[in-house]
Amino acid sequence: MSQLIKQVIAVIVVVVVVAVGYFLSKDQNEVSAKSIKIGVVAPLTGDLAFIGEGIRDAMVLAQENSKNTKYTYELIFEDDQLDSKMSASAANKLISVDKVDAIVSFGSGSGNVVAPIAEQNKIVHFGIATDPVVAKGEYNFIHWTPPSEENKVFVAELERRGIKKLGVFESNAQGAAALIADLKEKLKGTDIEIVTEQIFNSGERDFRSIIAKAKDSGAEIYLVMAFSPELEVLGKQIKEAGINTPLTSVECFELSEQVAIFEGEWYVNSADPTKDFTDKFAAKTSKNLTMGAANAYDIFNLVVAAAEKVKSPEKPTSEQIADELTTIKDFGGALGNISVNEDGIVVSTAAVRMIKDGKPVTVEN
Amino acid sequence: MEYLIHLGILFAVYAILGMGLNLVVGYAGLLSVTHAAFYGIGAYTTAILLTKSGVGFFGALVLGIAIATAVSLLIGVVLSRFKGDYYALGTLGFNTIVFGAFLNWKNLTQGSLGIPGISRPELFGINFTNNFNFLILALIFLILAYSVARFVANSPFGRVLKAIREDETVISVFGYDALHYKLVVFVISAAMAAVAGSLFASYITFIDPSGFRVAESMFILAIIILGGLANLRGSLLGAFFLILLPEVMRFVGFPSDIEAQMRQVVYGVILILLMLYRPQGLIGEYKL
Amino acid sequence: MGILPQLVLNSIVAGAVYSLVALSFNLVYGATKFFNLAHGVMAVIGGYAVFYFAKILGFDVYATIVLGITLAGLVGFGLDKLIYLPLRRRKASNMVLLVASLGVMTALQAIIAIFFSSRFKTLSQGIGAQKIFTILGGTITQTQIIILLGAALVTAGIFAILYKTQFGRAVRAIGDDGEVARIVGIDADKIIGHVSFIGSAIAGFAGILVGFDVGIEPTMGLSLLFKGVIAAIVGGVGNICGGVLGAFLLGFVENFGIWKISGEWKDAVAFALLIVFLIFRPRGIMKN
């Protein structure tokens, strides 16, 4: 290794260390007394960047609409690409450098990584995730209707319609897997049978052969557990295969970019994003709602509500915010009337809806 | 401070990964793109044993090494017959298949749900949930790994590896069984990757398949190419930069809606510039 | 008969897309002899060009397709002149070129995402606009028929160029032995530039077709590229005819694999095919 190279490397190392040190100290000096910081860990690049972008837009919207509060609320976004080590790095940076008072994550993978870090540092953590393990601990919360709630309503509707043979198209990803596993439990003891179960990997765009496999199974209805864009491509290819069997889903249809594909189909949704919220979101971003955006909006408002309720002359600590959060009931959110239960999970009841004229409509039973 | 400790632990894990891969790529000249598979084997073994059985961290570590050794022996025998680009593609294929196993062998790995709640190691009553203690543990492993790698690289075994890298036909004329040497170094590097995997699983307490696909193997490859092939300190340097760079970029003020994408652009441009102006990496001895 | 006709149709359509990618890859690889990771991004550029000009600016669809193909070709040509040519002049090894192309791929994908966001988009008007045909019990859409025709035409065209023109002879000469070709007076760099243009244009065309059939997203290039590479290797790298055969074999193995195993293993099956060929018939189906 020549002298020159050694010098170059030494210079680079020094510059990097100084830069990091400078930025670390700079942020510490900017902590203001009355400002509550909410850190957000979300996929801002990579395949699911549109979800991270939706969450960011929704939370900024919530921040803009939040008025007359005792404290100011700041949002800091960090990208994690849904990669475990980046989620951990983002969470650590937000907590120990930015000194956030609350942290939000998306996805069970991220949530499971961030949760122990948040718990250890006693920072409120809200996950938008299906895995209930994410809510373990005093400081961890989840805003996402648990699969068992959704399935209760789903199975009831299947029975009501007299459906005995169910076909399943399932994305090989956490959210779908958790739901189907729970569904299989619930179907034991009923006379409803899953006659075909086709699993595909995220990123797949050619479903034609699994559709061909499912076609012969005699299913009366297909449960499609997929998210954009697999959802639309799958729906389109099912129609192109000349299959007219009805489609149903839990959660997914409303988040679709092309809701019209599912015209006339009923499905189960974890409560309805209010028209008010959907309109505001569309006005701000001119895009459709993405997965978790409404939840993120609510989380911002829940944290604000909890922080505002804390009776203290100084800025509320994370512990105080956590305590207040568990007392929140019947809160009017973007996902309707929500309450935080004692496990730290925000519960909203699932509902049966249908796409009519391109719009979701709740089905009254 | 916590943030720096966290980065330090990541650095240690990726430095171990880099050094292991450097033995295969830098010293033996085999372009292997499957390192993440062995990383994953170590991680999953630790995850499963620590959550579902009474086996402790060190027991799981040993078992992870054993499994990685067995799998790498199998894969290595098949792969050792390939050359150059074909070797790379073959390894890439194996990585995809092993990843498929992590994702779809649901009874064992819980598939995409992942395995949460992995505990930290238990040793002499030291509290490893304190990240600083864990950092010390990780650094100890790093030093051990460095010693092993250095021993391999500087031994007569290592010299034969370099000779194979330069001209395999010549060395076989001298009576050295190149296949045997390539296999042994591949297995050693797989074992090292498994150790890194065990450390990572226990630190981050949650494992899912997404961290062990081909993209991860490419990332580890980028670390050793940047730092310099056939130079162990180069792997340390490469790990230092590639773990730190995205973190430093967090502080650079791009407008938030394109910030993350801009980081990717910068990363790509750095790779291009490196290849154009310094292909041996920062302190490498072997020009790619 | 049941499911068989549909599976066969699916396999043929998939094979047609892969054959275009394999064809373009073989062309470029034959001339430059390195694994260009950014080749897949050319497909993405073609797709997004059509998206931008047709869907956003509202130009005539056929004109934008030509525009998209040309644009992809130009980008490929430009990259060759800017990055790969200087590297070749420095006698850079294949690994350096590969890493440089990794940088190019990372940067370009991110730039496309900055301009168009990373959301999936379709080029066609949406469902219901497609004409659907039934052949022997299996369904096929109009777009898919166009894919078949397009692939056939392009393949025929490339054959004609390679075997009936002087340019084609020069390309084949460089593919066989670059050194000798240069000695004989062929301006290899100029030819490589042209080949980069053509190969990237074909890839762009493939991306446009996929865009109409399914849709586009910034990261779709890499998986398309891998399928094309598997097809090329199975068929015999550099061999145009072999690439086409390999592509259809891959299409069949994937879809029949789904039938016999299940959808989650699709990628693993594709790579298993690759490995089987690498082990037992590394020169591919066609004896060169």
Side-chain angles (χ1 to χ4, degrees), chain B residues 125-283:
Chain B
I126 303 177
N127 173 18
F128 282 107
T129 48
N130 177 327
N131 284 342
F132 184 72
N133 293 344
F134 197 92
L135 175 64
I136 303 295
L137 182 69
L139 288 175
I140 292 176
F141 272 106
L142 177 59
I143 294 173
L144 281 170
Y146 183 81
S147 316
V148 168
R150 217 164 80 108
F151 176 72
V152 170
N154 292 344
S155 68
F157 179 85
R159 282 199 284 281
V160 175
L161 282 182
K162 287 193 236 189
I164 293 175
R165 177 188 77 200
E166 299 303 330
D167 194 329
E168 190 170 330
T169 342
V170 167
I171 198 78
S172 355
V173 163
F174 280 96
Y176 286 98
D177 181 359
L179 240 69
H180 162 84
Y181 281 84
K182 289 197 274 193
L183 193 59
V184 170
V185 76
F186 190 69
V187 168
I188 294 176
S189 99
M192 284 176 72
V195 170
S198 296
L199 271 175
F200 182 72
S202 185
Y203 170 62
I204 211 148
T205 74
F206 170 77
I207 282 293
D208 73 348
S210 68
F212 308 110
R213 22 162 67 117
V214 169
E216 187 73 11
S217 290
M218 294 213 190
F219 177 69
I220 304 170
L221 195 60
I223 286 181
I224 61 175
I225 290 177
L226 170 62
L229 294 174
N231 185 316
L232 292 175
R233 267 166 302 160
S235 307
L236 297 179
L237 212 53
F240 180 77
F241 276 111
L242 285 188
I243 293 292
L244 223 47
L245 182 67
E247 300 303 315
V248 169
M249 304 279 329
R250 285 189 201 281
F251 295 95
V252 176
F254 286 121
S256 89
D257 48 324
I258 61 165
E259 181 196 336
Q261 303 285 9
M262 274 313 294
R263 239 187 292 135
Q264 297 287 84
V265 176
V266 170
Y267 181 54
V269 170
I270 287 181
L271 276 180
I272 297 174
L273 290 176
L274 258 180
M275 289 302 108
L276 276 173
Y277 301 112
R278 198 167 173 83
Q280 67 268 46
L282 287 168
I283 54 178

Side-chain angles (χ1 to χ4, degrees), chain A residues 46-47 49-50 172 199 201 204-206 208-210 212-213 229 233 236-237 240-241 257 261 287-288 290, chain C residues 3 6-7 10 118-120 127 130 132 139 141 144 213-214 217 219 255 258-259 261-264 266-267:
Chain A
D47 296 338
F50 64 94
N172 200 0
I199 308 180
N201 294 324
E204 187 55 62
R205 303 283 176 257
D206 182 357
R208 302 209 162 94
S209 290
I210 58 172
K213 271 177 89 172
V233 179
K236 190 166 90 104
Q237 289 178 354
E240 284 169 1
E257 302 258 318
I261 301 179
K287 290 190 210 153
N288 285 336
T290 52
Chain C
I3 194 179
Q6 187 67 60
L7 281 184
N10 295 346
S118 51
R119 283 208 199 188
F120 189 79
I127 45 101
Q130 288 272 21
I132 302 175
T139 53
T141 67
Q144 291 179 305
D213 183 36
V214 177
E217 55 197 332
T219 48
N255 284 288
I258 290 180
W259 181 39
I261 318 175
S262 79
E264 317 115 272
K266 186 170 170 192
D267 293 325

Side-chain angles (χ1 to χ4, degrees), chain A residues 276-294:
Chain A
D276 180 49
F277 171 68
T278 322
D279 288 342
K280 279 206 195 101
F281 189 86
K284 178 180 164 64
T285 65
S286 32
K287 290 190 210 153
N288 285 336
L289 268 188
T290 52
M291 194 186 336

Side-chain angles (χ1 to χ4, degrees), chain A residues 249-303:
Chain A
S249 182
V250 176
E251 209 55 50
C252 312
F253 289 167
E254 281 191 22
L255 299 166
S256 167
E257 302 258 318
Q258 299 167 50
V259 175
I261 301 179
F262 309 107
E263 181 66 34
E265 313 283 15
W266 68 268
Y267 59 98
V268 169
N269 214 55
S270 67
D272 320 323
T274 59
K275 185 166 187 325
D276 180 49
F277 171 68
T278 322
D279 288 342
K280 279 206 195 101
F281 189 86
K284 178 180 164 64
T285 65
S286 32
K287 290 190 210 153
N288 285 336
L289 268 188
T290 52
M291 194 186 336
N295 308 65
Y297 183 88
D298 278 349
I299 290 174
F300 182 88
N301 289 325
L302 283 170
V303 171

